[in-house]
Amino acid sequence: QVQLVESGGGLVQAGGSLRVSCGVSGRTFSSLHMGWFRQAPGKEREFVAAIGRSGFTTAYADSVKGRFTISRDNAKNTVYLQMNSLKPEDTAVYYCAAKTSGWGTQYDYWGQGTQVTVSS
């Protein structure tokens, strides 16, 4: 069973930076396509960023493009989301997700989420 554990969330002022991490166990990490999603209060969960198995291919939601960077360390079984120039509208629970299939398919595994709060 694949397990995903997020960490690194917290409270930050607008314009600040934060990095969230997701540790993965239970499957060969380099075989997993990884993504980050978020859900704000009263809103649907939305895609934030994704990264391919090798780390060379990434994708971002328009709302975070140029501010957020997804990366992975296959030696540490960890995926990261570096968030810069944070805005109050970035406030949400951030979820890590993994899948064995490629781009354009559903994610199979989810973490429990980590809260990110951006104050104005």
Side-chain angles (χ1 to χ4, degrees):
Q1 182 71 10
V2 178
Q3 292 186 322
L4 292 74
V5 180
E6 300 97 335
S7 60
L11 174 64
V12 63
Q13 288 189 331
S17 298
L18 202 61
R19 188 178 79 162
V20 291
S21 304
C22 174
V24 180
S25 61
R27 193 171 182 115
T28 302
F29 182 65
S30 59
S31 71
L32 296 171
H33 181 112
M34 302 298 300
W36 285 98
F37 291 75
R38 68 186 182 186
Q39 187 167 19
K43 294 188 176 181
E44 297 287 319
R45 185 171 59 193
E46 64 175 0
F47 168 77
V48 175
I51 188 166
R53 296 177 184 85
S54 64
F56 291 124
T57 307
T58 58
Y60 296 92
D62 287 343
S63 59
V64 306
K65 203 171 292 184
R67 301 188 297 121
F68 289 13
T69 303
I70 187 171
S71 62
R72 65 190 294 161
D73 187 336
N74 285 353
K76 295 183 178 180
N77 294 350
T78 302
V79 61
Y80 305 96
L81 185 68
Q82 176 67 44
M83 303 180 287
N84 298 329
S85 302
L86 282 161
K87 305 175 181 180
E89 52 262 44
D90 294 317
T91 295
V93 177
Y94 283 71
Y95 296 93
C96 174
K99 58 182 174 179
T100 56
S101 51
W103 297 95
T105 61
Q106 296 291 323
Y107 283 83
D108 304 308
Y109 309 102
W110 295 84
Q112 82 289 349
T114 186
Q115 177 70 46
V116 172
T117 302
V118 183
S119 64
S120 56

